[in-house]
Amino acid sequence: DDMEDIVQVGTIGLIKAIDRFDLTREVEFSTFAIPYILGEMKRFFRDTGWAVHVPRRLQELRSDLAKAKELLHNKLDRDPTVRELSDHLNLSEDEVIEGIVAANGYTAGSLDTPADSAPAEQSRTVADLIGEEDPAMEKVENLQTLAPLMEKLNAREHRLIELRFGQELTQAEIGAELGVSQMHVSRLLSRTLSKLRAGMLTER
């Protein structure tokens, strides 16, 4: 962090110490002031050091977990389990798991980070290597384009589309519903779908 910000934060702690210092206690001013200065600095790092904002309770739990992990690792000569961490910290296993998950928000990597050591113009980023094309995205785009075209249909065409694709009726069932032949339903559907298809091609 910028040193100027840290000095300013420390100065706030110093001012608080000056305001609260009591000469009658016969304590060195430096001894009294240091906890105030350090407290402000720790609060600053706690509030600004996280890549993702998490509640202060979880920020403090991350620190407790880190200390507990180190202590238990030295004692057990292996990484401690969630149960061992919860017993050591007098917390439930759910709370420990919540703290571990929250700790992942302390740092964040950029999707633009190079994923290999190739020259810059040939290098791929992390974003190039993760995720995959979502086939549902094309459906969403089609629906967005289709919605205003549907509004332009007349009542009969709209009813026809609703029966065929909304209620999933067969052409014979639609004919019975509308009082026309299956052949006529087929022609109406073909004409209506051609109108919608042409509209979508024009919109794109």
Side-chain angles (χ1 to χ4, degrees):
D1 287 285
D2 185 67
M3 183 57 72
E4 185 177 335
D5 289 340
I6 297 172
V7 171
Q8 288 180 355
V9 168
T11 302
I12 293 172
L14 178 61
I15 292 170
K16 287 182 178 179
I18 292 171
D19 289 341
R20 297 168 187 175
F21 184 62
D22 185 355
L23 285 170
T24 61
R25 293 186 178 178
E26 298 181 359
V27 177
E28 289 280 341
F29 177 70
S30 59
T31 303
F32 181 80
I34 285 174
Y36 280 92
I37 296 169
L38 288 177
E40 289 298 319
M41 288 183 172
K42 286 178 180 178
R43 191 175 296 110
F44 171 77
F45 286 122
R46 184 177 60 208
D47 292 343
T48 62
W50 286 69
V52 177
H53 177 73
V54 300
R56 182 162 295 176
R57 170 181 65 84
L58 294 177
Q59 293 179 18
E60 293 170 352
L61 179 55
R62 173 189 172 272
S63 178
D64 292 340
L65 279 170
K67 292 174 185 174
K69 281 182 179 180
E70 183 178 358
L71 181 68
L72 291 173
H73 186 279
N74 292 335
K75 182 179 177 181
L76 303 170
D77 199 27
R78 61 173 171 77
D79 288 337
T81 64
V82 170
R83 168 64 64 85
E84 289 165 343
L85 286 168
S86 69
D87 289 343
H88 180 79
L89 295 170
N90 293 320
L91 297 171
S92 70
E93 291 186 31
D94 287 342
E95 288 174 306
V96 170
I97 291 170
E98 186 181 18
I100 292 172
V101 171
N104 293 330
Y106 187 70
T107 57
S110 171
L111 292 175
D112 294 325
T113 302
D116 50 48
S117 55
E121 62 275 7
Q122 300 173 5
S123 178
R124 294 182 300 173
T125 66
V126 173
D128 295 328
L129 302 177
I130 62 174
E132 59 186 20
E133 188 173 324
D134 186 351
M137 284 302 296
E138 186 175 355
K139 291 182 181 178
V140 172
E141 291 173 0
N142 288 341
L143 286 172
Q144 290 294 324
T145 307
L146 188 60
L149 298 175
M150 287 288 293
E151 293 176 1
K152 295 178 182 177
L153 297 179
N154 61 41
R156 187 177 191 183
E157 291 169 331
H158 202 282
R159 175 70 174 154
L160 191 64
I161 294 294
E162 197 276 328
L163 290 172
R164 180 68 185 92
F165 300 102
Q167 298 184 29
E168 298 183 347
L169 299 184
T170 65
Q171 291 184 7
E173 290 170 332
I174 294 172
E177 177 78 19
L178 299 180
V180 297
S181 69
Q182 180 180 344
M183 185 72 72
H184 190 52
V185 170
S186 179
R187 285 198 296 268
L188 288 173
L189 268 175
S190 179
R191 190 168 61 211
T192 304
L193 292 175
S194 294
K195 182 191 295 188
L196 291 173
R197 190 177 296 112
M200 289 185 71
L201 290 172
T202 302
E203 289 294 324
R204 291 184 177 190

